[in-house]
Amino acid sequence: MQSVKFLPLICVLALLVGCTGGEKGVSGEFQLLQFLLSGKQDVPRNRDLEFIFTAAVDPDQDLAERLKIQNVDTTGFGNDFSRAIGIYVCNGETVTFRPQLPEERNRSDAGFKAFGSYHVYLKAGPDALRSMTGDPIPTQQELLFGTSEYFEDIDPTQPPRALRFTAYDPVADTEIDLSRLDPRSLELALLDSNDLLSATDAGGAPAPRAIEPGAGGAPDYPTPWEFRLYLSEPLDPQRITRSTVQMLEIRNDALTGATTTDAGHFGNPVDYQVPITREMVQQFDAAGGYELYIKITAQQTLVDDARYRLVFSGDILGLDYRKSFVGENGLTGDGQTGIGLGGIYEEAGGLGYTTEFLVYDRPVISGSFTVTYNWWPENIDPEYGYTLPDNVWNDPNWEDHPLMNTALWDPSFDPGHAV
């Protein structure tokens, strides 16, 4: 899915609200049962708001209007009576408001403003919030809470972790997994080009760490690749900078052929920093879960037959960006740093993430076969896969016949031809 900024709140409700059934409260009256943050101050700016009712809430209504959350602070912090920005997720008797996470470096696009004074308006009357059985809230309520300057760590027991690294083709809307083969970042450069090309996935299927020079296909490659490092929890967008995220061309002539390389071949060293743009994407998926990744876009077509390295520094911090958390909230790899006598062990925070991949162009399709296979009338030998003349020994060009047995044809043997 392409990276997009958050739509206005009212536009995303229909897509992102889902609800399951529940029973009506024993009192026979639909009402708010619990909102634990009512009256609280210094609420972190990424804290979910959870409202529990006496019966299942009907998702087919304007929750943004009937459970409105608005900043009414008038103390000079720039309040404009703006609505909180985020999504409502309905699950039976529980409605959860998830505030938008910041993507701008100054964090100004966060769902809650800093030092805000927020009022929750629970509507009654003709436009009241209603239950699945149609019962309305009988009495309007106004609940208050205040926000702090800070964000909280959603997983305080772990630092932010890299989950996987991909190349995204915006034309074909496809992703290629380029996650590092060896989780030990200091040893990653020991993988030769053949290792990257012959890589497989967990099921043993081919999964080379390689892409074409540009996204969209030959011959023009009009759209640059977009690279994504998916994360376990939100990061501070202020720390996604030129010093913490870098893309390097480290080898040219990394392949000995269009799609092959000799074992042990690395190519020639290159010292070149690729110009890129860097963005922090922190949004919700259709189920209300986090979709978090650092987006890197190369500002030039990548070089054919080259090897690239992307480096994410351990100085990148979690969204709880207070300086005392340096070293604990630093970006790590995938949780594995080495193999000892006791097996793989976890790494500490702040080590960063590094991955390498190859860039090469597929061979040009130079010819084609028109293939039909009916071995009896067309005399195609089922063992060799070629059309055989009546007398092979008297026909020196018998291999040039244009018919083949596709069951025996191996594209890797002759990648320059299409069938």
Side-chain angles (χ1 to χ4, degrees):
M1 183 178 73
Q2 296 191 36
S3 169
V4 293
K5 297 294 182 182
F6 274 96
L7 298 173
L9 175 60
I10 199 167
C11 295
V12 301
L13 291 177
L15 297 176
L16 297 176
V17 174
C19 195
T20 61
E23 296 182 359
K24 194 173 180 180
V26 294
S27 67
E29 187 176 80
F30 179 54
Q31 57 188 336
L32 179 65
L33 187 63
Q34 178 178 287
F35 174 50
L36 293 178
L37 293 181
S38 180
K40 303 292 185 182
Q41 298 298 315
D42 297 324
V43 173
R45 295 170 64 189
N46 60 327
R47 176 74 63 84
D48 288 352
L49 308 184
E50 185 176 85
F51 304 89
I52 301 177
F53 294 86
T54 56
V57 179
D58 183 359
D60 190 20
Q61 58 185 314
D62 189 352
L63 291 174
E65 190 60 39
R66 298 177 182 184
L67 191 58
K68 182 168 65 174
I69 306 168
Q70 189 170 23
N71 184 13
V72 297
D73 176 60
T74 57
T75 59
F77 288 104
N79 171 65
D80 56 0
F81 292 89
S82 59
R83 300 266 189 108
I85 306 172
I87 63 172
Y88 290 85
V89 179
C90 182
N91 184 21
E93 294 89 352
T94 302
V95 175
T96 303
F97 176 79
R98 311 202 75 180
Q100 175 174 296
L101 297 173
E103 297 179 342
E104 301 294 337
R105 290 188 178 179
N106 62 5
R107 313 177 194 92
S108 61
D109 58 334
F112 292 138
K113 292 183 180 296
F115 307 112
S117 179
Y118 283 89
H119 289 212
V120 180
Y121 298 97
L122 180 56
K123 259 190 179 179
D127 294 325
L129 186 76
R130 64 178 183 269
S131 70
M132 285 289 289
T133 57
D135 295 329
I137 290 289
T139 305
Q140 181 163 312
Q141 291 178 259
E142 187 174 346
L143 311 164
L144 312 180
F145 68 94
T147 56
S148 70
E149 176 187 2
Y150 300 110
F151 300 83
E152 65 183 344
D153 188 346
I154 64 173
D155 187 5
T157 64
Q158 295 284 352
R161 295 186 179 275
L163 301 178
R164 62 192 178 98
F165 176 73
T166 68
Y168 173 70
D169 183 341
V171 176
D173 191 25
T174 57
E175 281 188 278
I176 299 174
D177 195 337
L178 298 178
S179 300
R180 64 190 189 193
L181 296 177
D182 190 331
R184 294 166 288 182
S185 57
L186 295 179
E187 297 182 16
L188 187 62
L190 296 180
L191 297 171
D192 60 39
S193 299
N194 188 58
D195 293 326
L196 298 178
L197 284 179
S198 59
T200 59
D201 62 20
R209 301 305 194 267
I211 59 173
E212 290 188 346
D220 298 324
Y221 302 106
T223 308
W225 284 100
E226 176 185 305
F227 299 95
R228 298 175 175 182
L229 181 68
Y230 286 90
L231 306 157
S232 64
E233 60 182 270
L235 295 187
D236 177 15
Q238 193 173 56
R239 300 302 295 268
I240 309 303
T241 67
R242 293 185 63 182
S243 62
T244 59
V245 180
Q246 297 180 352
M247 184 175 182
L248 308 168
E249 182 188 347
I250 60 172
R251 304 270 181 177
N252 62 21
D253 295 328
L255 300 170
T256 56
T259 60
T260 60
T261 183
D262 298 329
H265 185 74
F266 286 86
N268 303 318
V270 174
D271 184 14
Y272 176 66
Q273 186 163 337
V274 179
I276 59 175
T277 60
R278 307 158 181 84
E279 297 178 56
M280 189 67 234
V281 179
Q282 310 198 103
Q283 56 194 15
F284 299 107
D285 59 25
Y290 289 121
E291 184 176 49
L292 312 165
Y293 57 89
I294 301 174
K295 183 178 80 171
I296 303 96
T297 306
Q299 298 302 293
Q300 64 183 45
T301 299
L302 302 181
V303 179
D304 195 12
D305 254 10
R307 182 167 175 160
Y308 288 83
R309 176 184 294 157
L310 260 149
V311 179
F312 300 85
S313 169
D315 294 333
I316 298 173
L317 298 180
L319 191 56
D320 182 7
Y321 57 89
R322 283 169 284 186
K323 302 305 178 185
S324 61
F325 286 89
V326 173
E328 295 180 18
N329 266 21
L331 181 71
T332 75
D334 59 1
Q336 300 170 348
T337 188
I339 301 176
L341 296 177
I344 297 175
Y345 55 90
E346 288 193 347
E347 63 191 3
L351 297 183
Y353 183 89
T354 302
T355 188
E356 295 179 7
F357 60 92
L358 297 171
V359 171
Y360 69 87
D361 189 7
R362 294 193 184 99
V364 176
I365 301 300
S366 59
S368 63
F369 289 109
T370 301
V371 177
T372 58
Y373 180 49
N374 189 333
W375 72 273
W376 179 256
E378 303 193 39
N379 198 25
I380 298 179
D381 186 280
E383 180 179 356
Y384 296 103
Y386 292 100
T387 303
L388 297 180
D390 293 336
N391 189 339
V392 174
W393 306 108
N394 295 329
D395 185 352
N397 298 317
W398 69 272
E399 290 183 323
D400 293 336
H401 286 258
L403 300 176
M404 298 182 67
N405 178 356
T406 55
L408 298 179
W409 181 68
D410 181 3
S412 63
F413 178 75
D414 191 4
H417 287 80
V419 175

